[in-house]
Amino acid sequence: MSTGTTKLDVVVSDVVPVNELVTRFHFRRRDGDLLPTFSGGAHVVVEMRDGDRTRLNPYSLMGSPLDTREYTISVRRDDVGRGGSLFMHRSVKPGLEMVISYPVNLFSLDLRAKKHLMLAGGIGITPFMAQTAQLAGEGGNFELHYTCRTASLGTYADVLRERYDRRIRLYHDDREERIDLDRLLSTQPLGTHLYVCGPAGMINWVRDRAASLGWPSEAVHFEHFAAPQPGLPFDVTLAVTGKTIRVDEQQSLLEAIEAAGVDPPYLCRGGVCGQCETNVISYDGKFIHNDHWLSEEDHRSGCKIMPCVSRFEGRSLVLER
Amino acid sequence: MGITFRKETFRDDFTFKNSPEHIRRFPFPFHEDSYMYAVNIEPHVVGPKGSVLENLIDVDEHYVAEMQDRALVLAEDPLRCQSLPHMTLAGWDLLELLMEQQALGYPEHFTLTRDGDRWRWINRPLGIDDTFTFGDTSTLPYGPMEYITRQSQGDFCILDQRDGNLWMDAGMVTTQADWSLDFDIGMNFFEWHAPVPLAHEKGIFTRALKFLTNIQQGKPARRLNWTMTINPRLDTSPENYHKWGPDRTTVTPENVGDKVHLRVELQSFWRLPRSNGIVFPIRCYLIKMDELVTQPKWARRLHRVIRDLPDELANYKGLTRYRPTLVEWLSKLDDGSATSPGFGPD
């Protein structure tokens, strides 16, 4: 069976510049109905028709789950990225008809928590916009620490302060403000769950400190904002469909497989959900595993690859697909 | 045209019966002449008219009687319905799902009207007409999960998803085949499947969990499972083993057709939108051997399946004691001819 996500036909109802790097996009359903209910931390995959190329990027839903008349996402422009965010910034205007996936949540709140402690870095704020709205509606106990480079790049910091006042703490890199992480993590009440979303370095820092301070891993939740990394082009043979394809420098293996007309399953396109896992039939070369799904043993075995984020360098690669 | 609801019992005098149309729509679970475990999961999409898949949540002629039986079970043992505190939101998700699906499939029996978060629910077969505030538990006579599952056929397990696993943290379980919510509540997927033989070694549960944790909103899935029950009892729980366990010793060549029932569970799996939980409705269908063998294909095939079932499975399903009697009785209806492919009767 196909495990691809169910699609929604939407129209861009508004495009709002937020600051010099971030733009917010609003989507409504083309048929005027309500959009599906979702939960804080969910993302949608946005399909971008960029000439003869289809780009598929995941973005967190940042509106309140209590209001599904529209979905909102915020996109940070990446001038040296693979082009998805530039396409969103340059080509997506109000009135454009687009296709997005149903919401998928891989960064769910643990509703058992007595308190939710949230740490956001940069554009990693977006899933917390929805999570805080959800928790505020239910009278939940949360506290959000948000680090950004400068006050002007503190996306939605003003909105959050306005809504939640002292439950929000801001840190600006240019003022050399830094979260006193050890103190924060060692003074939480029992039953607190920790959520972190931001750059990989921040996630690793927070997870390491939490582990060394004795936090159980089940109480530490994180979401990587990892886009597929570019790399050297390589060729792949797809055994089931008998196709041989080339993966470009700026393209992910998953995108190349899709461009060849094969419809593989996916959910996160960021190496965490496991949905696109593919068996390797044979190879001569080396894998560049960028995923967080496979075990180290799987990585060493050479038997599996996550085509959404991982690459290959070498003479030949045959996948079961 | 509405459903004619039967007046019948699943205990004491056991007046449960399937009408002829219901015999033909029975979800016979064997597509070939033998049975082994498989992760036989498929998309839960609407199936042929007149089948149990005509609607994604099936309501049938046993609805009212089943709901009366559920109320009796709960009156004796309230622990058949439990919800850990963090699962209330998932209960609201389930209430919405079941009200929507029942109203969509059976508008002559159920009506849901919404005005923002003011909802009105009319359940004509049970004589209910309630207005409540969605999300406000104080506006319903029970918690949201209990309220709606007292009005929906089948058992319901609500699973919380965290740490890459599923946790049985809420449920309404009164029509089960020898397992207990009170025992399993709080357990994860591997813990509550621990008693199942053979399947762990085959890696079935690891694969099934991977599939289930990836179930997406708007794309439910389903599978069939089966066992056998002596007398048409819906409640064959460990708590009541002393009532139904001894029934197994009462099967004789004379009463096989009336006493032995094939029990089929249509299990479906749905992602819940607000809580990100998974609900796992387990809908139980019963059919006595006399009814089942009115379809010659099913009679022939069931004979071969039961005869050739591995002993571990027969034991696990509790068939061992009466299997020879049943096989002998079914063998007389098996002329040895080939059965046609697929589940349906000829």
Side-chain angles (χ1 to χ4, degrees):
Chain A
M1 66 186 277
S2 164
T3 43
T5 50
T6 309
K7 304 289 167 63
L8 294 164
D9 292 322
V10 295
V11 60
V12 178
S13 51
D14 208 355
V15 176
V16 183
V18 178
N19 55 38
E20 60 193 275
L21 287 178
V22 175
T23 299
R24 182 172 70 241
F25 298 87
H26 296 239
F27 301 107
R28 285 179 185 252
R29 225 168 155 136
R30 279 186 228 170
D31 59 17
D33 282 353
L34 290 179
L35 287 152
T37 307
F38 67 100
S39 47
H43 71 259
V44 293
V45 175
V46 178
E47 292 190 16
M48 302 169 217
R49 305 269 172 224
D50 186 3
D52 56 0
R53 194 164 165 177
T54 300
R55 300 174 185 279
L56 296 166
N57 279 9
Y59 294 106
S60 296
L61 292 174
M62 52 163 291
S64 167
L66 307 176
D67 179 2
T68 55
R69 281 171 300 178
E70 61 177 16
Y71 282 168
T72 48
I73 60 168
S74 287
V75 179
R76 183 187 185 280
R77 198 182 73 232
D78 182 354
D79 296 319
V80 294
R82 299 173 328 119
S85 69
L86 281 176
F87 176 85
M88 290 298 291
H89 276 249
R90 286 177 186 157
S91 309
V92 174
K93 308 278 184 238
L96 182 69
E97 296 193 337
M98 296 186 84
V99 173
I100 63 174
S101 74
Y102 254 63
V104 172
N105 199 338
L106 302 172
F107 188 51
S108 198
L109 290 168
D110 191 321
L111 298 173
R112 296 172 307 163
K114 300 276 187 290
K115 177 181 173 184
H116 305 268
L117 176 64
M118 301 164 169
L119 303 184
I123 194 65
I125 192 65
T126 52
F128 296 121
M129 297 297 289
Q131 289 188 339
T132 49
Q134 179 178 338
L135 288 173
E138 291 162 14
N141 181 10
F142 67 88
E143 178 181 312
L144 170 68
H145 296 255
Y146 178 17
T147 73
C148 40
R149 278 196 269 158
T150 65
S152 67
L153 288 172
T155 312
Y156 305 117
D158 49 345
V159 178
L160 288 163
R161 280 305 280 272
E162 170 88 3
R163 278 186 201 161
Y164 309 120
D165 192 29
R166 272 187 286 184
R167 295 204 237 182
I168 309 298
R169 282 288 309 277
L170 298 172
Y171 306 83
H172 300 104
D173 292 348
D174 63 345
R175 295 185 206 152
E176 298 190 356
E177 294 162 350
R178 195 170 152 90
I179 301 177
D180 186 352
L181 188 61
D182 283 15
R183 184 156 174 278
L184 186 65
L185 295 183
S186 16
T187 53
Q188 295 303 318
L190 212 59
T192 302
H193 278 250
L194 172 65
Y195 305 84
V196 53
C197 182
M202 177 181 183
I203 292 173
N204 293 338
W205 174 55
V206 173
R207 290 181 67 200
D208 285 352
R209 291 313 304 150
S212 51
L213 290 166
W215 279 66
S217 61
E218 304 81 47
V220 180
H221 313 273
F222 52 94
E223 177 152 76
H224 284 270
F225 254 73
Q229 296 302 304
L232 297 173
F234 60 101
D235 293 326
V236 186
T237 302
L238 306 176
V240 172
T241 40
K243 295 180 176 177
T244 295
I245 58 172
R246 161 143 292 217
V247 183
D248 295 338
E249 279 168 51
Q250 293 290 336
Q251 200 178 24
S252 73
L253 173 52
L254 179 63
E255 289 166 346
I257 293 172
E258 288 167 338
V262 180
D263 185 20
Y266 66 82
L267 280 183
C268 75
R269 306 183 79 86
V272 295
C273 76
Q275 190 62 251
C276 69
E277 181 182 306
T278 303
N279 291 324
V280 174
I281 291 177
S282 66
Y283 70 102
D284 175 6
K286 97 176 189 281
F287 293 99
I288 303 162
H289 289 294
N290 294 318
D291 65 278
H292 303 270
W293 171 256
L294 298 173
S295 65
E296 276 182 38
E297 194 184 324
D298 286 334
H299 283 165
R300 278 196 304 270
S301 74
C303 295
K304 288 177 178 168
I305 187 168
M306 304 304 297
C308 60
V309 289
S310 299
R311 302 188 69 88
F312 181 79
E313 284 177 3
R315 273 195 288 276
S316 75
L317 173 62
V318 182
L319 298 181
E320 180 189 17
R321 182 62 81 192
Chain B
M1 185 197 82
I3 304 165
T4 308
F5 299 104
R6 296 181 54 85
K7 283 187 80 166
E8 59 193 359
T9 58
F10 301 87
R11 55 180 72 206
D12 304 324
D13 58 350
F14 297 119
T15 59
F16 167 85
K17 272 195 190 62
N18 288 294
S19 67
E21 312 81 74
H22 268 63
I23 293 173
R24 285 192 65 82
R25 86 198 279 275
F26 188 80
F28 187 72
F30 306 109
H31 67 285
E32 57 186 12
D33 289 354
S34 64
Y35 172 76
M36 192 53 210
Y37 292 132
V39 181
N40 52 338
I41 301 178
E42 59 178 354
H44 188 39
V45 292
V46 167
K49 251 190 140 39
S51 76
V52 300
L53 300 172
E54 182 173 347
N55 292 297
L56 295 184
I57 293 292
D58 182 39
V59 175
D60 68 14
E61 63 182 2
H62 308 298
Y63 174 77
V64 174
E66 284 191 25
M67 294 303 98
Q68 285 165 350
D69 194 70
R70 164 158 292 162
L72 291 175
V73 174
L74 289 169
E76 280 175 16
D77 182 1
L79 293 178
R80 304 299 185 85
C81 176
Q82 296 189 47
S83 175
L84 299 183
H86 63 283
M87 299 302 281
T88 306
L89 185 62
W92 285 107
D93 275 332
L94 180 61
L95 175 140
E96 179 177 40
L97 169 70
L98 291 175
M99 285 185 179
E100 272 183 350
Q101 291 295 326
Q102 294 189 132
L104 179 74
Y106 310 91
E108 66 279 37
H109 299 302
F110 306 97
T111 306
L112 174 65
T113 23
R114 316 180 198 210
D115 174 12
D117 58 6
R118 284 302 277 172
W119 292 25
R120 182 177 177 198
W121 170 243
I122 304 173
N123 176 337
R124 292 179 194 86
L126 298 183
I128 292 169
D129 182 345
D130 282 337
T131 300
F132 61 95
T133 306
F134 186 86
D136 182 352
T137 304
S138 71
T139 59
L140 285 175
Y142 304 101
M145 176 189 73
E146 180 167 359
Y147 177 78
I148 195 57
T149 57
R150 279 175 176 267
Q151 304 178 46
S152 305
Q153 284 171 278
D155 287 343
F156 296 86
C157 303
I158 313 189
L159 315 178
D160 194 28
Q161 180 165 336
R162 52 180 199 267
D163 316 325
N165 210 327
L166 297 171
W167 304 78
M168 181 128 19
D169 285 350
M172 167 68 91
V173 180
T174 68
T175 69
Q176 70 270 47
D178 200 7
W179 69 278
S180 165
L181 175 70
D182 191 39
F183 186 79
D184 286 3
I185 193 145
M187 286 188 182
N188 71 35
F189 189 77
F190 295 110
E191 290 166 344
W192 83 69
H193 281 113
V196 184
L198 302 179
H200 292 274
E201 293 75 8
K202 291 170 178 286
I204 284 176
F205 291 123
T206 309
R207 289 206 301 280
L209 177 63
K210 218 169 201 177
F211 181 87
L212 292 173
T213 51
N214 276 325
I215 292 264
Q216 294 156 49
Q217 223 176 304
K219 291 192 99 179
R222 68 172 171 244
R223 69 183 283 260
L224 290 177
N225 195 13
W226 69 278
T227 185
M228 298 190 113
T229 302
I230 307 308
N231 294 326
R233 284 189 194 272
L234 279 177
D235 174 18
T236 53
S237 60
E239 288 88 348
N240 276 336
Y241 184 81
H242 59 284
K243 294 183 186 162
W244 59 267
D247 286 0
R248 292 169 180 174
T249 64
T250 64
V251 179
T252 65
E254 293 69 40
N255 67 20
V256 169
D258 185 48
K259 272 201 178 274
V260 177
H261 288 69
L262 179 62
R263 178 188 196 100
V264 173
E265 293 174 356
L266 171 61
Q267 308 176 341
S268 54
F269 313 93
W270 311 66
R271 173 73 62 189
L272 296 173
R274 294 173 183 78
S275 57
N276 203 39
I278 298 250
V279 66
F280 178 13
I282 308 167
R283 174 62 196 280
C284 167
Y285 296 90
L286 289 168
I287 190 169
K288 66 178 68 189
M289 290 298 110
D290 281 341
E291 291 171 350
L292 185 123
V293 302
T294 59
Q295 311 301 318
K297 169 181 162 182
W298 289 352
R300 288 202 296 273
R301 184 172 285 172
L302 187 66
H303 168 242
R304 297 165 199 182
V305 168
I306 302 295
R307 180 191 66 198
D308 301 339
L309 200 65
D311 288 342
E312 295 101 314
L313 278 181
N315 258 330
Y316 171 64
K317 291 180 185 287
L319 277 54
T320 307
R321 187 182 277 269
Y322 56 87
R323 176 152 76 151
T325 315
L326 174 63
V327 171
E328 172 62 22
W329 186 82
L330 284 169
S331 71
K332 296 183 183 130
L333 300 159
D334 185 354
D335 56 8
S337 53
T339 54
S340 61
F343 300 93
D346 284 327

